[in-house]
Amino acid sequence: MRQGRLSLAGLSILFALGLALWEVYFFWFAGSLGLEAPLGLFTPERLGFNMAWLAAIYLTFQLTSIPFALPSASGRFIGVVDGMASLVPLAVVLIAVFGKPHLIGSWQRWEAAFLLIFITLVDLFGGYTFNIALSRRTMDVSPAGSA
C-alpha cells in the first residue's frame, strides 16, 4: 500500500489552489457571508496589511520551494502541474477584474486586485525563470575552487 506523503510540489499546488479559493471568496462572496466582522480579516481598514502578509507568505513559499523540488524522472508530471497551478489564481483575479468589475467596487479592492495580479505574475514568471536557470545550471551555487 502506498503511503500518502505530500511532496513539496504538491504543497505548492495546494498553496496556489488555496490562493485561488481565497480570491473567489474575496471577490464574489466577501461581505455577503458576514464573516468579516467576527473574523476581522480583510476588512477595509486592514486590507493593505493583510494583503502584504498574504503576498509575503505566498511568494516566499512558492519561489523558495523551486530549488528543493528538483525534477526527477518520476516527478516530471507533478512539476508540470505545479507550474500550471500558478495560472489558476491569475485566471481568477483576471476574471474578476475584466469579466466582473462590478464585484470589486471600492478603490481598496481595486488596489488589492492589481496587487494579486502582480503577485501571481511574479509567481508564474519568477518560477519559470528559476526553473530555466536551474535546469541550465547558469546559477553557480558551489564555492569557487581554490587553485
Side-chain angles (χ1 to χ4, degrees), residues 32-127:
S32 63
L33 298 178
L35 294 176
E36 283 75 21
L39 295 178
L41 299 175
F42 300 101
T43 57
E45 59 274 357
R46 292 185 47 92
L47 185 59
F49 179 74
N50 290 324
M51 289 297 295
W53 276 110
L54 180 77
I57 292 168
Y58 181 74
L59 284 178
T60 299
F61 180 80
Q62 292 293 85
L63 295 179
T64 56
S65 67
I66 291 169
F68 301 108
L70 294 175
S72 64
S74 63
R76 286 193 183 150
F77 177 73
I78 195 74
V80 170
V81 173
D82 183 16
M84 297 302 286
S86 297
L87 289 171
V88 177
L90 179 62
V92 170
V93 72
L94 288 177
I95 289 169
V97 168
F98 296 111
K100 307 250 184 210
H102 64 278
L103 293 173
I104 298 175
S106 69
W107 64 271
Q108 293 97 341
R109 290 171 62 96
W110 276 104
E111 284 180 329
F114 288 119
L115 180 64
L116 286 167
I117 290 172
F118 178 73
I119 290 168
T120 54
L121 284 175
V122 166
D123 174 32
L124 187 65
F125 292 113

